[in-house]
Amino acid sequence: QVRLEESGGGSVQAGGSLRLSCVASKFTFDWGCMGWVRQGPGKEREAVASTNKYGNFAVADSGRGRFTISQDNAANTLYLQMNNLKPEDTAMYYCAADPRFSGGNCYPRSDFLHRGQGTQVTVSS
């Protein structure tokens, strides 16, 4: 019943753009708090962005001004538009969701309970 399937990763040069997508089961999407996390080589998991079912979007400092999170409620799909990518954005990006988080607890965080398989983003200089 928990389904999170990411797509859209790839290899780009610095300054390029990618759009990640995450198709979720309705069961998962209706939890209300979803987001993106990433883990780069040799790094700890890092919060990227979050959204709740009311469309309150938030982006972590690392991506603010460059990343945009959005959702299509009818399609149970979450997006992450990433512009002006930098080599330090290189990481595996995971779509994430957690039924424990709502309201003030739904913000960019690294400890979502459920994550998808991930999609690799590689940015070369």
Side-chain angles (χ1 to χ4, degrees):
Q1 286 181 310
V2 177
R3 176 191 173 210
L4 298 164
E5 295 182 1
E6 306 94 335
S7 62
S11 297
V12 297
Q13 291 189 326
S17 298
L18 285 172
R19 188 192 196 203
L20 307 184
S21 300
C22 170
V23 177
S25 62
K26 188 177 188 305
F27 171 78
T28 307
F29 203 82
D30 284 348
W31 283 344
C33 186
M34 298 185 65
W36 294 91
V37 299
R38 69 185 183 185
Q39 189 161 17
K43 298 181 180 180
E44 294 185 354
R45 193 180 308 137
E46 179 185 14
V48 176
S50 67
T51 179
N52 63 20
K53 60 183 178 181
Y54 304 110
N56 294 324
F57 307 120
V59 176
D61 289 347
S62 59
R64 198 160 295 155
R66 301 185 298 124
F67 294 0
T68 303
I69 184 171
S70 62
Q71 62 193 51
D72 182 338
N73 293 339
N76 298 329
T77 301
L78 188 69
Y79 301 100
L80 183 69
Q81 176 68 44
M82 302 186 294
N83 299 327
N84 190 22
L85 283 161
K86 304 176 181 180
E88 51 264 42
D89 294 319
T90 294
M92 185 72 79
Y93 283 71
Y94 300 92
C95 180
D98 199 313
R100 302 171 299 172
F101 304 150
S102 62
N105 289 326
C106 186
Y107 55 84
R109 54 194 303 165
S110 61
D111 60 343
F112 283 92
L113 186 61
H114 297 280
R115 297 185 301 278
Q117 294 298 309
T119 184
Q120 178 67 37
V121 171
T122 302
V123 185
S124 58
S125 58

